[in-house]
Amino acid sequence: MKAVIQRVSEASVTIDGNKVADIQKGLLVLVGVEDTSNQEDINWLSSKIVNLRVFGDENGVMNLSVKDIDGDVIVVSQFTLHASTKKGNRPSYIKASKPDIAIPVYEKFVAQMESDMGKKIQTGEFGADMKVALINDGPVTIIIDTKNKE
């Protein structure tokens, strides 16, 4: 699994003109699933994101997590995170899981995030054409690949 985590002062997801997710201070998480993604990856990635210290403390030092600040989270599925650009100019998405594998993993990841956060996680809609709006705070953007967890 790969994730792009962005610290935001606000973010939203709109599908067909309808806003389906809307947060203020928190994290926007774009997540991509591979066929090798498993429950261990889900647990590790969720815990890593929830406890990632990217919010400023009273001294302005990035020392607090989204959970510490009682922030909100939007999780959006994004298969393009697994794009290969080695050959040519058209990305290949062969490493990205097909929906029959990716949807259950994505749903388990969202459920694990909710468990780790102790609150509801907002989401986009798997496979939908989404318009994601955000104000990246900092900017702070972190990329995590579960293949690099060791």
Side-chain angles (χ1 to χ4, degrees):
M1 294 176 73
K2 287 185 183 179
V4 174
I5 300 104
Q6 296 177 297
R7 184 179 77 181
V8 298
S9 54
E10 62 183 74
S12 65
V13 178
T14 302
I15 302 171
D16 294 329
N18 299 312
K19 196 174 280 188
V20 298
D22 190 17
I23 65 169
Q24 296 302 305
K25 190 172 188 175
L27 298 175
L28 172 67
V29 179
L30 307 174
V31 65
V33 176
E34 291 180 285
D35 288 351
T36 58
S37 300
N38 59 36
Q39 190 64 49
E40 180 185 335
D41 294 328
I42 291 166
N43 295 346
W44 182 85
L45 185 57
S46 176
S47 178
K48 183 63 83 173
I49 292 169
V50 167
N51 294 297
L52 201 59
R53 298 183 334 186
V54 295
F55 292 91
D57 62 14
E58 65 277 355
N59 298 315
V61 177
M62 287 197 292
N63 210 19
L64 301 173
S65 70
V66 68
K67 190 170 183 175
D68 293 334
I69 66 155
D70 194 29
D72 291 310
V73 177
I74 296 177
V75 175
V76 174
S77 64
Q78 189 167 359
F79 75 93
T80 60
L81 293 181
H82 291 289
S84 174
T85 57
K86 284 185 178 181
K87 293 191 331 185
N89 293 315
R90 183 172 185 221
S92 167
Y93 303 106
I94 198 157
K95 287 187 177 184
S97 291
K98 302 284 187 254
D100 61 322
I101 293 173
I103 291 171
V105 172
Y106 170 75
E107 290 173 347
K108 287 178 185 175
F109 176 72
V110 171
Q112 187 62 51
M113 287 283 297
E114 289 180 337
S115 177
D116 290 344
M117 282 289 293
K119 68 192 305 187
K120 180 82 172 132
I121 300 296
Q122 295 189 49
T123 65
E125 181 182 315
F126 192 95
D129 182 15
M130 296 175 271
K131 306 303 181 211
V132 179
L134 69 136
I135 297 178
N136 190 322
D137 183 19
V140 174
T141 301
I142 310 285
I143 301 170
I144 300 176
D145 188 332
T146 58
K147 288 186 176 178
N148 299 327
K149 67 180 173 242
E150 307 278 322

